[in-house]
Amino acid sequence: MVENIIELYNISKVFNNGKRRGREVSVKALDQVSLQVRKGETLGLVGESGSGKTTLGRIILGLENQTDGEVSFKGQSVHGLKSKERRAISHQLQLIFQDPYSALNPRMTALEIVQEPLLDLPKEVARQKAVDLLNSVGISGDAVNKLPKEFSGGQRQRIGIARAVINQPEFIVCDEPTSALDVSIQAQILRLLTDLQTKLKLSYLFISHDLSVVRHISDRIAVLYRGKLVEIAPAEHLFDYPQHAYTQYLLNAKPELNPKLAREKLLAVTSDVREFHLPENFEWREFGPDHFVRVDKE
């Protein structure tokens, strides 16, 4: 039986952007999104800029409140929990940022950054645990005492990953963690994430513009179009047999290996994207094993 670690039920998010000409202006970033992340899997999340990918990740982590819907972690709803209960769950849910430099405290050493979350451990025990983890991600020797500015982009991302896993979480949102890196370093970081997933039994929501990366690292892929989920399938099956018109349109971008070019190409393809009509009256149709696509209800 498949065990879900994260379950989302009809998640909607509306941002109020103040008033214009005396009228309230709002933007619906997410519209009744329901999906599950299975224990131990990597669920890729793709879609054009503004499709709601990052907002969805932030809602799961409790960094953003949904307007409607419910988030469940290991079968327990996280809505309305008391602060103590919420903190206990928050340790199990972590984030790896797109830009490691802006995410790291520039005044703290790599060791201090990774050790900081270990508040409940004796100082020397916490220090040794942080040193061991930094060593395991490729930061060793005197380097642990360097500041973020003294590291390369790939090394900074390794430090960010170490900080994210130091408290042994069960679920991590990876928000474009390789987009700021060149191709060779990108491959190393993906390999590190895969190794840590196996070793620590992690589950990932992997958000990216780079379709080739998503295809490589994901077990399944979910496709968002303007806040609506339109297709979800095993990674290879989605690429081989895309069913929704928007998924087909995205894949026509022809995935790039270079992350900068990948972003530029996807933005170019989607900047003049034609409108895909998604009526409220729809149903999910199973195209193949574990492959579901949103279709209009007849």
Side-chain angles (χ1 to χ4, degrees), residues 4-255:
N4 296 323
I5 190 166
I6 296 290
E7 295 176 310
L8 306 179
Y9 302 97
N10 294 326
I11 297 295
S12 294
K13 177 63 180 181
V14 177
F15 289 103
N16 294 316
N17 294 343
K19 289 187 176 182
R20 188 177 300 166
R21 296 180 180 177
R23 287 178 146 187
E24 293 285 347
V25 177
S26 62
V27 175
K28 182 170 274 191
L30 293 167
D31 189 2
Q32 295 188 317
V33 174
S34 295
L35 57 79
Q36 298 80 39
V37 182
R38 297 165 183 169
K39 193 168 184 179
E41 84 163 340
T42 297
L43 177 66
L45 189 61
V46 300
E48 64 188 296
S49 292
S51 62
K53 303 185 302 296
T54 294
T55 299
L56 190 64
R58 289 177 60 83
I59 287 173
I60 294 173
L61 297 174
L63 301 175
E64 196 82 58
N65 292 321
Q66 67 268 32
T67 305
D68 199 9
E70 184 178 347
V71 179
S72 177
F73 172 67
K74 295 173 68 175
Q76 179 183 10
S77 173
V78 300
H79 181 69
L81 288 179
K82 295 179 181 178
S83 56
K84 184 178 180 181
E85 296 170 319
R86 180 73 213 194
R87 280 197 302 273
I89 287 181
S90 69
H91 287 310
Q92 299 301 313
L93 310 174
Q94 293 295 322
L95 173 64
I96 296 172
F97 293 89
Q98 175 182 349
D99 181 1
Y101 189 65
S102 65
L104 303 178
N105 188 327
R107 296 182 180 85
M108 296 174 71
T109 66
L111 179 58
E112 291 169 336
I113 288 168
V114 176
Q115 182 180 339
E116 186 182 27
L118 300 175
L119 301 176
D120 297 333
L121 294 180
K123 189 173 181 180
E124 195 52 42
V125 174
R127 182 184 183 282
Q128 190 58 53
K129 185 175 181 179
V131 167
D132 291 344
L133 182 54
L134 280 166
N135 288 342
S136 73
V137 301
I139 308 295
S140 59
D142 292 339
V144 302
N145 296 311
K146 291 182 178 180
L147 297 172
K149 67 181 181 181
E150 301 177 79
F151 292 100
S152 67
Q155 289 173 320
R156 287 196 286 262
Q157 193 58 287
R158 290 173 182 271
I159 296 167
I161 290 170
R163 180 184 169 92
V165 304
I166 189 69
N167 264 327
Q168 297 180 297
E170 295 187 53
F171 175 79
I172 297 178
V173 173
C174 305
D175 191 1
E176 302 207 50
T178 60
S179 65
L181 308 174
D182 65 38
V183 176
S184 60
I185 304 303
Q186 180 186 81
Q188 295 173 20
I189 296 301
L190 291 174
R191 190 158 52 247
L192 175 60
L193 288 172
T194 301
D195 291 345
L196 288 171
Q197 183 175 42
T198 301
K199 181 180 178 181
L200 302 177
K201 297 180 172 59
L202 298 169
S203 306
Y204 294 143
L205 178 70
F206 194 94
I207 300 169
S208 180
H209 277 84
D210 191 333
L211 300 176
S212 63
V213 167
V214 174
R215 181 177 192 174
H216 171 75
I217 198 170
S218 302
D219 298 292
R220 294 184 301 143
I221 298 174
V223 182
L224 280 180
Y225 171 67
R226 299 195 179 178
K228 295 179 172 68
L229 184 67
V230 298
E231 191 164 358
I232 184 166
E236 289 303 317
H237 209 264
L238 185 84
F239 273 79
D240 291 343
Y241 307 104
Q243 292 303 296
H244 196 276
Y246 178 66
T247 306
Q248 295 167 3
Y249 196 82
L250 270 188
L251 297 188
N252 281 337
K254 294 181 181 176

